[in-house]
Amino acid sequence: MAKAQASSQAQFARVETETRPDRYRHWKLAVDGLAATLRMDVREDGGLRPGYELKLNSYDLGVDIELADAVNRLRFEHPQVGVVVLTSGKERVFCAGANIFMLRGATHPFKVNFCKYTNETRLAMEEASAESGQVYLAALNGITSGGGYELALACKEIHLIDDRSSAVSLPEVPYLGVLPGTGGLTRLVDKRLVRRDRADIFATLAEGIKGQRAVEWRLVDAVHAPSRWQQAIAGRVAALQAAAADRAGRQGIALEPLRKERSADAIVYEHVRLQVNRAARTATLTLLGPGAVPALPPDPAVLGCRWYPLALMRELDDALVELRFNFEEIGLLLLRSAGDLGRVLEIDAQLQQVRGHWFGREVLLLLKRTLKRLDLTARTLFALIEPGSCFAGFLYETALASDRQYMLDDPDGANAIALTALNGGALPMGNGIARLAQRFLAEPRRAEALLKEAPARFTAAEALAAGLVTAAPDELDWDDEVRLAVEERASMSPDALTGMEASLRFAGPETMETKIFGRLSAWQNWIFQRPNATGERGALTLYGEPHSPEFDPRRT
Amino acid sequence: MAKAQASSQAQFARVETETRPDRYRHWKLAVDGLAATLRMDVREDGGLRPGYELKLNSYDLGVDIELADAVNRLRFEHPQVGVVVLTSGKERVFCAGANIFMLRGATHPFKVNFCKYTNETRLAMEEASAESGQVYLAALNGITSGGGYELALACKEIHLIDDRSSAVSLPEVPYLGVLPGTGGLTRLVDKRLVRRDRADIFATLAEGIKGQRAVEWRLVDAVHAPSRWQQAIAGRVAALQAAAADRAGRQGIALEPLRKERSADAIVYEHVRLQVNRAARTATLTLLGPGAVPALPPDPAVLGCRWYPLALMRELDDALVELRFNFEEIGLLLLRSAGDLGRVLEIDAQLQQVRGHWFGREVLLLLKRTLKRLDLTARTLFALIEPGSCFAGFLYETALASDRQYMLDDPDGANAIALTALNGGALPMGNGIARLAQRFLAEPRRAEALLKEAPARFTAAEALAAGLVTAAPDELDWDDEVRLAVEERASMSPDALTGMEASLRFAGPETMETKIFGRLSAWQNWIFQRPNATGERGALTLYGEPHSPEFDPRRT
């Protein structure tokens, strides 16, 4: 129906998705026994793109990629750490939030994906506090505004210096005509449980709130006079360290650089292949199964970063971030796998065995986070299950996360998928339920019944009968059916598909996390498109200019 | 900070918000004992605006205002009715959904408010099925597409004729580049519990799904051959009537036309005054308290439509709809009340007494719906509580629904508010919880403690201490504090405020209903702004034209 418009040239250079501490430009990670400090000290001239300076610890995507890396490394490389202090290396400034000049110059898709990524990083910090026992403590040693305060909101405890000038604030609405969209509004009322009339005042009060009132309004947990600041933070750190004493013996593993080769239309990792077809605006993401599966050693952490599920998920996660930032025009992702189903089941069984060990738990949590990143990837996902594939257990979650599952019904029934206990809730979606349970919301007992036999293999015919796949064409029909589905999808409005997928993928309960991506971000995306923000006389456009914005007053 | 842009001229003539069956142009309401039929037979030349024809039972706001009226009247005027058959008076067509040419010509604010209103009407149908025992049955006697199917989705049962041509479909994504935004996507997966891969196929399949497959996929409850159609529907109606036999003795009341006088800048009802200040872009909505309170008669229904809470809420509801469609440029609503607090408490006590009677229940449900309409009104709401006001019990819910509550701290403490048992959950928000409970999410016991003493009066100082109001300035400060708050609000981006309020007002749980307004509608509003839908080469713009749309392929 529709012809592709000539794809606009990528506005910016490629985003580097990978980093490591010795390359950080904006953060300093210091580990001291059971405590770590993440000190934000953004280089003004260290922006990812030309055209803006990162003043006052304002951030861009490059700053957040470093933070995401640090949060992840702390879990794997420093598992003994029980408390992470997030603070600033600058005087009198904690963080001024996302850089406004960067935002102003960004395309709409970049803005949206930037916010999504930073939201994922904030949620990873919260998950570390809640599920890994690495408690994030925000030590706000200066002005904390906008995304800076949203960073604090993602910590378990917020401490603010009481120096008569340092306030927390969300000035986006009054100054920029946009929302505090990195979870700020949602966390105010749904996490901090700030009374909504107070949240309304706070989110419209550009200068923010400081001192005891910030505590009374639940915006921070404590304020401390400058003379007591170091001591107060040290005291809380000591208390949290004491509660984490049992972590002392943990030996971390090194997260080595990914093995990643890039060519014009492909990125080839050890276990993941991303192949793009720019003309068709599709990409194929192939997950390769494991080689020989080593036996579990007494301390599973010695398996290290090359252990298959960990290596695979680090690569998949990186590929998804690549896709979002470096392949905007790809609308449809074909998800394939190739490998030995039995070996995937062996790995899956090992994952279940090591769940009680810190290393096993962290691998499962990484799996969970990566699968959630897949759920939130605004591209159509079709899983193609063909002979030689290995969608079993945790790997089948990628197919369950897809919008459709096509499975080739081969004559000898060799093409198979498998469910395992891990499909039963160990890898929940952001809404808190298992993908299999969500699939069968209409028949909750069916999910239970299918799992009772786990691990269980299903041929295409069996999978279709069980409701585990969408369609099971035979060899005669396969090519045509898949080709038509892909072509049809490519003919539809990318925006309508994004909105549709965001609605259909999140059936069932909502959580603070899904509210951030569903409610808050959808409104923010709308606002980013509105002339009142990004038009010629919009507030975001005119920020820092001598002119006042002019608004179309019509309320919707 | 910002100057008001010259307000664009209202694109259209004023919307008439009130109607009654003898004026319906598009629906025929027939009541026969315990059953009613709502037959859609849209007049092609009966559009609310010039420029489009309402072919194939497609609808515009005028059609939906009639439907909303009928749904409401059935509850009050025909309370004996236990089943409502929704069907079409046209051959081979049930309903083609919202008129596309109407949508295409509408401004963005009108589109958004049109969708919101139709969503509220669909929810009122569901509430009638669930809480009033008036079960809506969709008898789809022909093609049912887009908003037509969304209308069916709001019914408790869906029956489709199996004539080889009548299908249900949601062609918005493939044909128009927008979403089925009247709850369609949400109801597919969250109400009908359609498996999400099937929902994905269905919502991208313009021709829709018919026959047995529609049943298998849970899209409809039953299909019937044309030869059995009348009999099958009659059979279901008979069964539902039998289950409603105990309603037979109910005597309805007449909903007389509202007493409503309009001048250039005001609408004056019997109990409600809407006064707009176009220069300031504010409006004052004053709720007048009751006159003398009549004693409750043995059959409370004889109180009729002039009974204070019923009359008040009909007027408030109408005023809110007026505000949305006829006063787009008003950004801030100042909510006042004036009257005798004691009399409001008497009415409140009567409401509690008659909860068990159908009439009392219907009045409470109307209160609930109207308050939800207030929650969803995309204008800032400030409650101003001054001496002579009467915000008690159910009336205080309007203040609780507001973004802020300002209460004048008068020297003699005569200015008072009151809580009653009705604030404890009888009038829940769309998210299922009481406004008072939501206010105190951080301290659930406080709401309980406050209600334990109910009915209880609070002076300004007491209300402030109890957390029931935002601020309590004294007489010296009142004018300045309110004026500054109003002026500040007027300086901010209307869109940012809409998005902020939509986030802060709905703390706590989400329900299918709040997902429709929060998640689905927010995405739809975004899509309505996107060039891929409404740009020169967008799909909505080019619908019905000989040209294919051209899409910017970048995914967000």
Side-chain angles (χ1 to χ4, degrees):
Chain A
M1 174 191 324
K3 293 171 200 161
Q5 203 173 33
S7 164
S8 62
Q9 285 293 94
Q11 188 185 8
F12 297 124
R14 182 157 55 76
V15 171
E16 271 301 339
T17 56
E18 224 191 336
T19 187
R20 53 179 197 254
D22 63 2
R23 289 189 180 172
Y24 291 174
R25 309 177 79 188
H26 308 295
W27 292 91
K28 290 187 179 61
L29 172 59
V31 175
D32 178 13
L34 303 189
T37 302
L38 255 173
R39 198 175 301 274
M40 190 177 204
D41 196 359
V42 176
R43 272 182 61 171
E44 290 194 5
D45 64 352
L48 207 59
R49 324 287 200 194
Y52 55 85
E53 291 189 332
L54 296 175
K55 293 191 176 173
L56 299 173
N57 264 1
S58 63
Y59 60 83
D60 69 356
L61 180 65
V63 178
D64 220 71
I65 286 173
E66 291 185 5
L67 174 60
D69 183 75
V71 173
N72 193 47
R73 276 182 204 279
L74 274 164
R75 305 168 85 144
F76 285 101
E77 301 193 341
H78 309 284
Q80 83 286 358
V81 165
V83 50
V84 183
V85 177
L86 199 74
T87 193
S88 155
K90 300 217 191 296
E91 286 288 312
R92 313 180 77 79
V93 172
F94 173 70
C95 169
N99 187 277
I100 295 157
F101 301 97
M102 173 279 295
L103 266 185
R104 194 165 78 181
T107 62
H108 182 74
F110 183 84
K111 275 196 202 79
V112 170
N113 277 298
F114 166 72
C115 291
K116 189 182 282 181
Y117 184 89
T118 55
N119 270 314
E120 289 168 327
T121 307
R122 306 298 166 275
L123 288 165
M125 291 164 56
E126 288 182 322
E127 193 207 51
S129 290
E131 301 195 40
S132 295
Q134 293 193 327
V135 175
Y136 278 72
L137 182 152
L140 309 180
N141 54 329
I143 288 166
T144 300
S145 85
Y149 180 53
E150 291 179 298
L151 195 50
L153 282 170
C155 295
K156 193 162 182 205
E157 285 188 24
I158 309 179
H159 297 258
L160 173 64
I161 196 162
D162 191 7
D163 60 3
R164 290 164 189 265
S165 78
S166 296
V168 295
S169 66
L170 292 176
E172 287 88 343
V173 171
Y175 276 175
L176 307 172
V178 301
L179 301 185
T182 314
L185 296 178
T186 308
R187 283 198 181 84
L188 272 187
V189 292
D190 276 309
K191 180 183 184 185
R192 306 284 314 182
L193 304 179
V194 175
R195 230 174 59 202
R196 87 170 164 90
D197 55 339
R198 289 174 166 173
D200 181 279
I201 290 181
F202 176 62
T204 53
L205 193 66
E207 68 265 31
I209 290 180
K210 56 184 188 291
Q212 201 52 43
R213 197 177 180 209
V215 179
E216 277 163 27
W217 284 28
R218 310 177 62 92
L219 300 169
V220 305
D221 294 293
V223 292
H224 312 286
S227 58
R228 294 192 55 258
W229 176 252
Q230 296 293 351
Q231 185 193 342
I233 300 299
R236 275 307 294 156
V237 169
L240 290 164
Q241 273 182 303
D246 59 337
R247 305 168 70 96
R250 296 183 184 179
Q251 291 294 321
I253 64 158
L255 293 181
E256 296 164 12
L258 298 180
R259 297 175 186 178
K260 178 177 176 183
E261 304 240 337
R262 179 187 299 276
S263 60
D265 287 324
I267 301 178
V268 176
Y269 303 84
E270 190 179 357
H271 306 291
V272 173
R273 308 270 149 98
L274 179 69
Q275 176 75 47
V276 307
N277 179 340
R278 289 175 202 268
R281 301 206 306 276
T282 62
T284 301
L285 190 70
T286 306
L287 310 177
L288 304 178
V293 177
L296 274 184
D299 176 3
V302 305
L303 290 164
C305 76
R306 304 248 82 86
W307 191 39
Y308 174 76
L310 174 52
L312 176 79
M313 283 298 138
R314 288 181 69 208
E315 293 174 2
L316 174 58
D317 197 55
D318 187 75
L320 292 174
V321 178
E322 285 274 358
L323 197 73
R324 290 199 197 158
F325 289 108
N326 296 326
F327 301 94
E328 280 180 348
E329 73 282 14
I330 300 302
L332 170 60
L333 198 57
L334 299 167
L335 203 65
R336 288 190 153 98
S337 67
D340 186 308
L341 194 83
R343 284 181 179 167
V344 176
L345 286 171
E346 283 178 60
I347 292 283
D348 193 278
Q350 291 186 339
L351 274 167
Q352 294 178 52
Q353 275 181 267
V354 298
R355 283 181 75 166
H357 187 276
W358 76 262
F359 176 71
R361 193 162 55 245
E362 286 305 333
V363 173
L364 278 167
L365 289 171
L366 175 65
L367 263 155
K368 181 171 83 158
R369 290 194 300 282
T370 305
L371 290 164
K372 292 201 288 188
R373 177 107 75 193
L374 187 62
D375 293 328
L376 285 168
T377 294
R379 315 293 166 98
T380 297
L381 309 170
F382 286 173
L384 301 183
I385 309 169
E386 293 162 279
S389 64
C390 56
F391 284 112
F394 71 98
L395 259 194
Y396 191 61
E397 288 290 321
T398 61
L400 283 171
S402 299
D403 299 298
R404 301 183 190 174
Q405 302 79 27
Y406 290 90
M407 184 166 183
L408 197 153
D409 189 5
D410 55 337
D412 56 359
N415 191 22
I417 59 170
L419 292 182
T420 72
L422 287 186
N423 302 114
L427 302 165
M429 300 175 61
N431 64 9
I433 61 175
R435 288 177 190 77
L436 195 68
Q438 194 212 39
R439 188 173 183 89
F440 297 119
L441 278 177
E443 308 161 87
R445 284 191 196 141
R446 187 193 288 221
E448 284 166 35
L450 287 169
L451 286 168
K452 230 172 232 164
E453 313 290 317
R457 286 176 189 238
F458 299 82
T459 64
E462 290 162 352
L464 187 69
L468 290 168
V469 298
T470 313
D474 63 18
E475 287 171 324
L476 277 176
D477 293 333
W478 175 261
D479 285 348
D480 275 351
E481 184 155 347
V482 170
R483 183 181 51 77
L484 275 173
V486 168
E487 285 175 6
E488 258 177 26
R489 203 73 170 193
S491 75
M492 294 181 206
S493 162
D495 306 323
L497 291 174
T498 289
M500 182 188 86
E501 290 156 7
S503 295
L504 298 182
R505 286 183 188 171
F506 296 93
E510 297 261 356
T511 58
M512 185 196 77
E513 178 171 339
T514 62
K515 283 175 90 162
I516 289 173
F517 293 110
R519 178 181 282 274
L520 181 63
S521 299
W523 282 109
Q524 178 78 309
N525 294 355
W526 174 72
I527 291 165
F528 277 152
Q529 287 286 119
R530 297 281 288 166
N532 283 341
T534 53
E536 267 181 39
R537 314 293 302 163
L540 186 62
T541 308
L542 290 180
Y543 181 79
E545 305 278 329
H547 313 290
S548 293
E550 291 175 13
F551 295 130
D552 176 346
R554 288 174 302 167
R555 275 287 199 123
T556 51
Chain B
M1 174 192 321
K3 291 171 201 161
Q5 206 173 30
S7 163
S8 61
Q9 286 294 95
Q11 189 184 7
F12 298 125
R14 182 157 55 77
V15 170
E16 270 302 338
T17 56
E18 225 192 332
T19 189
R20 54 178 195 254
D22 63 2
R23 291 191 179 168
Y24 291 174
R25 309 177 77 188
H26 309 294
W27 292 90
K28 290 189 180 58
L29 173 58
V31 176
D32 180 13
L34 302 189
T37 302
L38 256 173
R39 198 175 302 275
M40 191 176 202
D41 196 359
V42 176
R43 274 184 58 173
E44 292 195 5
D45 63 353
L48 206 56
R49 323 287 200 193
Y52 54 85
E53 291 188 332
L54 296 175
K55 294 191 177 174
L56 300 172
N57 264 1
S58 63
Y59 60 82
D60 68 358
L61 180 64
V63 178
D64 220 71
I65 286 174
E66 291 184 5
L67 174 60
D69 182 75
V71 172
N72 194 46
R73 276 181 204 280
L74 275 164
R75 305 167 83 142
F76 284 100
E77 301 193 339
H78 308 284
Q80 82 286 359
V81 165
V83 52
V84 183
V85 177
L86 199 74
T87 192
S88 155
K90 300 214 190 300
E91 286 288 312
R92 311 181 77 81
V93 173
F94 172 71
C95 169
N99 187 277
I100 295 156
F101 301 96
M102 175 279 295
L103 267 185
R104 195 165 77 178
T107 63
H108 182 74
F110 183 85
K111 275 196 202 79
V112 170
N113 277 298
F114 167 71
C115 292
K116 190 182 282 181
Y117 184 89
T118 55
N119 269 314
E120 288 167 329
T121 307
R122 305 298 166 274
L123 288 164
M125 291 164 55
E126 289 182 320
E127 193 207 50
S129 292
E131 301 195 40
S132 296
Q134 292 193 327
V135 174
Y136 279 72
L137 181 153
L140 309 179
N141 54 329
I143 288 166
T144 299
S145 87
Y149 180 54
E150 291 178 297
L151 196 51
L153 281 170
C155 295
K156 193 163 183 203
E157 286 188 25
I158 308 178
H159 297 258
L160 173 65
I161 197 163
D162 192 7
D163 61 2
R164 291 165 189 265
S165 77
S166 297
V168 295
S169 66
L170 291 176
E172 286 88 343
V173 171
Y175 276 175
L176 306 173
V178 301
L179 301 185
T182 312
L185 296 177
T186 308
R187 283 200 181 82
L188 272 186
V189 292
D190 275 309
K191 180 182 183 183
R192 305 285 312 181
L193 305 179
V194 175
R195 231 173 61 200
R196 85 170 166 86
D197 55 338
R198 288 174 166 173
D200 182 279
I201 290 180
F202 176 63
T204 54
L205 194 66
E207 69 266 30
I209 291 181
K210 56 185 187 289
Q212 202 53 43
R213 197 176 179 211
V215 179
E216 276 164 27
W217 284 28
R218 306 177 64 90
L219 301 169
V220 305
D221 294 294
V223 291
H224 312 286
S227 59
R228 292 194 53 258
W229 176 250
Q230 295 293 352
Q231 183 194 345
I233 300 299
R236 274 308 292 156
V237 168
L240 290 164
Q241 272 182 302
D246 59 338
R247 306 168 70 95
R250 296 185 182 178
Q251 290 295 320
I253 63 158
L255 294 181
E256 296 164 11
L258 299 180
R259 298 175 186 179
K260 178 176 176 185
E261 303 239 337
R262 177 187 300 274
S263 60
D265 287 327
I267 302 177
V268 176
Y269 304 83
E270 189 180 356
H271 306 292
V272 172
R273 308 270 149 98
L274 180 69
Q275 175 75 47
V276 308
N277 179 341
R278 288 176 202 268
R281 300 206 306 276
T282 63
T284 301
L285 190 71
T286 306
L287 309 178
L288 303 179
V293 178
L296 274 184
D299 176 3
V302 305
L303 290 164
C305 76
R306 305 247 80 86
W307 192 39
Y308 175 76
L310 174 51
L312 176 79
M313 283 298 137
R314 287 181 70 208
E315 293 174 2
L316 175 58
D317 197 56
D318 187 75
L320 293 174
V321 178
E322 285 273 357
L323 198 74
R324 290 198 197 158
F325 289 109
N326 296 327
F327 301 93
E328 279 180 348
E329 73 283 14
I330 300 301
L332 170 59
L333 198 57
L334 298 167
L335 202 67
R336 287 190 154 98
S337 66
D340 187 308
L341 194 83
R343 284 181 179 166
V344 176
L345 286 171
E346 284 178 60
I347 292 282
D348 193 279
Q350 290 186 339
L351 276 167
Q352 294 178 51
Q353 275 181 267
V354 298
R355 284 181 75 166
H357 186 278
W358 76 262
F359 176 70
R361 194 163 54 246
E362 285 305 335
V363 173
L364 278 167
L365 289 171
L366 175 66
L367 263 156
K368 181 172 84 160
R369 290 195 299 281
T370 305
L371 290 164
K372 292 200 288 190
R373 179 107 73 190
L374 187 63
D375 294 329
L376 286 168
T377 294
R379 315 293 167 100
T380 297
L381 308 170
F382 286 174
L384 301 183
I385 308 169
E386 293 162 279
S389 64
C390 56
F391 285 113
F394 71 98
L395 260 193
Y396 192 61
E397 289 291 320
T398 61
L400 284 171
S402 299
D403 299 299
R404 301 183 189 173
Q405 302 79 27
Y406 290 91
M407 185 166 182
L408 197 153
D409 189 4
D410 54 339
D412 56 359
N415 192 23
I417 58 170
L419 292 182
T420 72
L422 287 185
N423 302 115
L427 302 165
M429 300 175 61
N431 63 10
I433 61 175
R435 288 177 190 79
L436 195 70
Q438 194 211 40
R439 187 172 185 90
F440 298 118
L441 278 177
E443 308 160 87
R445 286 196 193 137
R446 188 193 288 223
E448 284 167 36
L450 288 170
L451 287 169
K452 231 173 230 159
E453 312 292 318
R457 287 176 189 237
F458 300 79
T459 64
E462 290 163 352
L464 187 69
L468 289 169
V469 298
T470 313
D474 62 19
E475 286 171 324
L476 277 175
D477 293 334
W478 175 263
D479 285 349
D480 276 353
E481 185 155 345
V482 170
R483 182 181 51 77
L484 276 173
V486 169
E487 285 176 6
E488 258 177 28
R489 202 75 168 193
S491 75
M492 294 181 205
S493 162
D495 306 323
L497 291 174
T498 290
M500 182 187 86
E501 290 156 7
S503 295
L504 298 182
R505 287 183 187 168
F506 297 92
E510 298 260 357
T511 58
M512 185 197 78
E513 179 171 340
T514 62
K515 284 175 89 162
I516 288 173
F517 293 110
R519 178 180 282 274
L520 182 62
S521 299
W523 282 108
Q524 178 77 310
N525 294 355
W526 174 72
I527 290 165
F528 277 152
Q529 286 287 121
R530 298 280 289 167
N532 283 341
T534 53
E536 265 180 41
R537 313 294 302 163
L540 186 61
T541 308
L542 291 179
Y543 180 78
E545 305 279 327
H547 313 290
S548 293
E550 293 175 12
F551 296 130
D552 175 347
R554 289 173 301 166
R555 275 287 199 123
T556 51

